[in-house]
Amino acid sequence: MRYFNNKQKDLAGKIDHDSVWRNWKDWRWQKKHAISNIRDFERLTDIRFADKEKIALNQTVQKFPISITPYYLSLIDFKDYQNDPIFLQCFPTPSELIMQTCEMKDPLAEEKDSPAPQITHRYPDRVLFHVSNVCAMYCRHCTRKRKVGDEDYIPEKMTLKQGIDYIKKTPQVRDVLLSGGDPFMLGDAYLDWILTELEKIPHLEIIRIGTRIPVVLPFRVTDSLIEMLKSHRPVWVNTQFNHPREMTESAKLALSKMADAGIPLGNQAVLLAGVNDCPRIMKRLMHKLVQNRVRPYYLYQCDLSEGLSHFRTPVGKGIEIIESLIGHTSGFAVPTYVIDAPGGGGKIPVMPNYLISWSTNKVVLRNFEGVITTYKEPDAYQPIFCDRNCEECTLQLKLDEAEETVATGIARLLSDADEAVTLVPKDLDRFERRNRHPAGEAE
Ligand SMILES: *Cc1c(COP(=O)(O)O)cnc(C)c1O
């Protein structure tokens, strides 16, 4: 079979003498034999560390443990591993123990914005639901690094029920994002139960799953998982490829199974110093994604979580990468570059500037080639006074129910009917929720 090679065969034998070669493709075997210490890593790869290095590595592992699937390990170039993007994403470095004052355990305030167990409710209409505390691999750049090394566990039905109940009684939630840990580390039947329960909620329109499984353990995407997912619609899946070398034949197969099942696929890459902070690597990655029917969704600036300082780039690197993509390649191969605001402000998109100047009837723009151009605005535009009374408007929204009746956020400053001139962000809904539901407490 094309997606096996001798290196993998050799590794399988070293890991598990009794291993029938076929086990390589068994996701439970992969999980069971995940590499969890430096000693095994050395034995399997023939890479050797000096004693001093080993002491520092073992200290690091005590704080931030290792877990590398044999499959992901096999993607490392053992002969030239030091700058290997696969190695850097899965193998610890003592730099993780360097703490900076700007770093936080929970920079995104996911725990503060938690109105019910396993739920983070930050945005008006969607919630994050942490359904698993297990990952196939521990990414060194994990934003939830504070939790890596906590005991691996799958929350019990009773716990998840409280999250489901919160969504049930919160009618503005139309989108739930299953995250973790990795939701695909749950067994098919358990995931099926969660999806079934969620589907019973009438106001829930879509379900999303955030997973790194296609990258680190593609064999988890079994035919039976696909069959189960197919019976729930619409489910969207977002994965996290960070480097073109992660797009192996096995990964492609996992993606094509999902795409063939009609599951829309997206990718959320993380900008990582030494791994993918290069416009050429990024363009290659984006092209490989769209070739495999995955739409690049976000490119994340690396969060201010503890132990990630060696992975962080200046924001300018992200802008440079986006500059190299927009106009230079297919529009849908360009992700939105975002900074997830510390303190729970959510994702903030950052772009190169294309609007250079403007007057009352003209804007000056530049394109990707550096051509400076103008767009003449209409002289005769009649603005429609908007008081959000959609029933009497000449524009025909004509929906059964008016969805948003008042404007919020910056949209409120732009509205005609609202007299607000400044925004004083003290009555934000998400702060309200924090008061109503102190972190982690269910009603
Ligand atoms: C990222 C995120 C979401 C989803 O955001 P989208 O921009 O809709 O993808 C929802 N809730 C939380 C807490 C998040 O961090």
Side-chain angles (χ1 to χ4, degrees):
M1 267 179 248
R2 272 188 311 155
Y3 44 89
F4 291 131
N5 57 39
N6 287 335
K7 184 175 169 192
Q8 294 177 336
K9 196 163 189 173
D10 184 44
L11 273 174
K14 279 187 185 169
I15 288 168
D16 179 5
H17 293 291
D18 308 324
S19 162
V20 184
W21 166 232
R22 193 176 308 118
N23 284 342
W24 186 261
K25 264 177 66 178
D26 175 349
W27 70 274
R28 290 180 199 275
W29 182 91
Q30 286 273 343
K31 170 69 182 150
K32 184 171 161 215
H33 292 98
I35 288 82
S36 62
N37 61 61
I38 307 289
R39 200 180 53 247
D40 286 346
F41 183 90
E42 286 190 314
R43 179 174 70 84
L44 294 171
T45 60
D46 292 330
I47 293 171
R48 296 286 176 269
F49 301 101
D51 286 348
K52 229 169 121 184
E53 273 178 297
K54 242 186 295 200
I55 292 169
L57 285 171
N58 281 318
Q59 269 172 353
T60 312
V61 171
Q62 270 178 8
K63 186 162 166 76
F64 299 120
I66 316 184
S67 176
I68 311 170
T69 55
Y71 162 78
Y72 200 71
L73 183 83
S74 77
L75 307 185
I76 298 174
D77 181 351
F78 298 157
K79 298 213 167 61
D80 181 18
Y81 68 94
Q82 258 150 339
N83 293 316
D84 184 291
I86 310 290
F87 174 79
L88 294 174
Q89 288 182 74
C90 68
F91 195 79
T93 156
S95 308
E96 293 172 33
L97 297 180
I98 302 170
M99 299 293 159
Q100 295 189 331
T101 47
C102 63
E103 292 179 331
M104 292 161 264
K105 278 204 161 59
D106 178 20
L108 309 180
E110 292 184 324
E111 288 167 20
K112 259 196 194 136
D113 282 329
S114 176
Q118 318 295 120
I119 294 267
T120 302
H121 189 174
R122 164 157 313 145
Y123 293 105
D125 66 343
R126 53 211 189 277
V127 297
L128 203 58
F129 191 11
H130 306 265
V131 295
S132 153
N133 242 21
V134 183
C135 278
M137 183 181 100
Y138 298 156
C139 304
R140 304 321 296 180
H141 56 276
C142 182
T143 186
R144 304 195 181 112
K145 216 166 161 77
R146 65 181 184 281
K147 292 190 168 185
V148 179
D150 287 2
E151 209 180 325
D152 276 2
Y153 71 91
I154 309 270
E156 289 175 22
K157 276 192 181 176
M158 284 299 288
T159 312
L160 294 187
K161 266 210 157 93
Q162 295 179 58
I164 293 166
D165 282 344
Y166 175 78
I167 299 169
K168 223 176 257 176
K169 63 172 196 242
T170 315
Q172 66 267 36
V173 177
R174 44 162 285 287
D175 172 6
V176 60
L177 211 165
L178 305 185
S179 180
D182 200 310
F184 282 161
M185 288 312 285
L186 304 182
D188 294 354
Y190 201 38
L191 195 52
D192 189 28
W193 174 78
I194 297 170
L195 294 172
T196 307
E197 288 302 304
L198 289 172
E199 270 174 357
K200 290 181 193 158
I201 303 174
H203 53 263
L204 204 57
E205 296 171 5
I206 54 168
I207 299 171
R208 291 193 252 179
I209 295 176
T211 176
R212 233 195 150 196
I213 281 293
V215 187
V216 297
L217 186 50
F219 315 121
R220 171 66 186 102
V221 183
T222 57
D223 293 343
S224 58
L225 177 70
I226 293 291
E227 279 314 302
M228 186 277 285
L229 290 174
K230 257 186 178 168
S231 68
H232 300 280
R233 246 174 245 226
V235 173
W236 293 56
V237 168
N238 267 326
T239 179
Q240 188 204 126
F241 286 86
N242 292 329
H243 194 281
R245 274 198 23 220
E246 293 173 331
M247 191 60 82
T248 63
E249 294 302 320
S250 303
K252 288 178 188 174
L253 185 66
L255 294 172
S256 74
K257 280 185 185 182
M258 290 193 283
D260 287 348
I263 299 168
L265 300 174
N267 189 67
Q268 319 199 100
V270 186
L271 180 53
L272 298 168
V275 173
N276 61 12
D277 51 337
C278 157
R280 291 187 69 190
I281 289 177
M282 279 295 186
K283 192 191 270 180
R284 198 66 206 282
L285 172 65
M286 300 310 152
H287 287 173
K288 286 208 166 194
L289 287 166
V290 296
Q291 279 172 43
N292 289 284
R293 292 179 281 176
V294 183
R295 165 79 154 97
Y297 180 43
Y298 282 140
L299 171 63
Y300 284 97
Q301 174 66 10
C302 187
D303 286 331
L304 293 171
S305 305
E306 279 181 352
L308 304 189
S309 56
H310 60 292
F311 277 131
R312 261 176 241 129
T313 65
V315 172
K317 185 50 77 177
I319 294 179
E320 181 192 344
I321 286 166
I322 301 299
E323 181 77 63
S324 77
L325 294 172
I326 293 180
H328 298 274
T329 191
S330 323
F332 60 79
V334 184
T336 304
Y337 174 45
V338 291
I339 303 180
D340 214 335
K347 298 172 187 75
I348 299 173
V350 182
M351 282 262 277
N353 289 327
Y354 291 92
L355 187 58
I356 293 181
S357 194
W358 63 98
S359 70
T360 54
N361 65 359
K362 217 186 252 183
V363 294
V364 181
L365 307 148
R366 61 97 176 175
N367 80 348
F368 72 103
E369 302 162 308
V371 171
I372 296 181
T373 185
T374 53
Y375 176 85
K376 170 77 178 62
E377 294 181 299
D379 295 320
Y381 178 69
Q382 291 293 332
I384 299 168
F385 179 83
C386 174
D387 55 1
R388 294 244 158 181
N389 182 0
C390 304
E391 299 290 309
E392 278 160 37
C393 184
T394 52
L395 299 174
Q396 305 195 348
L397 177 62
K398 286 196 178 167
L399 289 176
D400 292 344
E401 55 226 283
E403 309 216 329
E404 259 179 57
T405 49
V406 280
T408 60
I410 306 293
R412 183 175 163 202
L413 292 182
L414 294 175
S415 121
D416 296 319
D418 201 295
E419 284 174 12
V421 259
T422 54
L423 271 190
V424 185
K426 63 175 187 238
D427 54 356
L428 294 181
D429 283 353
R430 64 190 172 94
F431 293 152
E432 249 299 281
R433 270 193 301 271
R434 283 186 191 177
N435 292 335
R436 251 184 295 137
H437 309 272
E441 276 176 36
E443 277 179 347

